[in-house]
Amino acid sequence: KLSTAVPDKTRFRPFYGYMAISYTTTETVGSLVGERESELGGWGAEYTLYVAKTEEEAKEFSDYDPSEKSHRLLLWGADTAVPGLVLRYLHYFKETTDLTDDEIEAANSEREQLTKLDGTRTALEQVNKAGVPGLGQIEYW
């Protein structure tokens, strides 16, 4: 379970979303995109993401409620032996785009902070404190 908000739309960050993957096959088994209202709610929308093998599992072991508008569900599928979750940000950060110097600096700063994520809660907390939008806190259930 992860509660946060889709980042606000910027010219330097055209994409934000999740992939549910199988580590065994490297297959993408599901995805949700931030800017789509039907998926994560659109730019700036608050959401709580639940990731599980099945919807039944999410309902049984967490407070997931499909009638709650901010609850979003991403499924690995019952047959995914070693599941993984990937949060994707796409950035434009080169001078070859039509971005302003301030936008390039903001993109590079955000990207630099994201490179500090190493899978630990400590790194997540530090990057959250640095102000990178869209990360939130992870709760296991």
Side-chain angles (χ1 to χ4, degrees):
K1 174 179 164 181
L2 186 140
S3 297
T4 191
V6 176
D8 291 331
K9 185 176 184 177
T10 66
R11 290 181 351 120
F12 68 80
R13 186 191 327 100
F15 182 86
Y16 168 90
Y18 292 92
M19 292 187 324
I21 64 163
S22 165
Y23 277 120
T24 308
T25 65
T26 69
E27 175 186 13
T28 299
V29 294
S31 66
L32 291 172
V33 176
E35 66 266 24
R36 293 186 188 145
E37 192 171 322
S38 64
E39 294 188 23
L40 286 177
W43 295 113
E46 292 187 11
Y47 66 91
T48 301
L49 177 64
Y50 296 82
V51 187
K53 287 192 171 192
T54 65
E55 184 173 1
E56 293 75 24
E57 181 182 82
K59 288 178 183 175
E60 180 180 350
F61 296 108
S62 75
D63 61 350
Y64 171 68
D65 180 354
S67 67
E68 175 61 46
K69 186 179 177 184
S70 67
H71 286 193
R72 306 299 175 151
L73 182 62
L74 184 56
L75 299 175
W76 283 300
D79 296 331
T80 301
V82 185
L85 180 66
V86 177
L87 172 56
R88 300 179 292 172
Y89 290 75
L90 276 177
H91 290 92
Y92 297 131
F93 54 89
K94 295 241 179 195
E95 293 79 6
T96 55
T97 64
D98 66 346
L99 297 175
T100 67
D101 289 344
D102 287 344
E103 289 172 318
I104 292 170
E105 183 179 335
N108 282 323
S109 175
E110 187 171 287
R111 193 182 94 175
E112 175 65 26
Q113 288 299 319
L114 289 168
T115 64
K116 296 176 181 177
L117 293 172
D118 61 6
T120 65
R121 288 178 185 260
T122 301
L124 177 60
E125 288 172 12
Q126 290 171 346
V127 175
N128 265 326
K129 285 180 187 175
V132 175
L135 292 174
Q137 293 297 320
I138 298 170
E139 296 177 44
Y140 295 95
W141 40 272

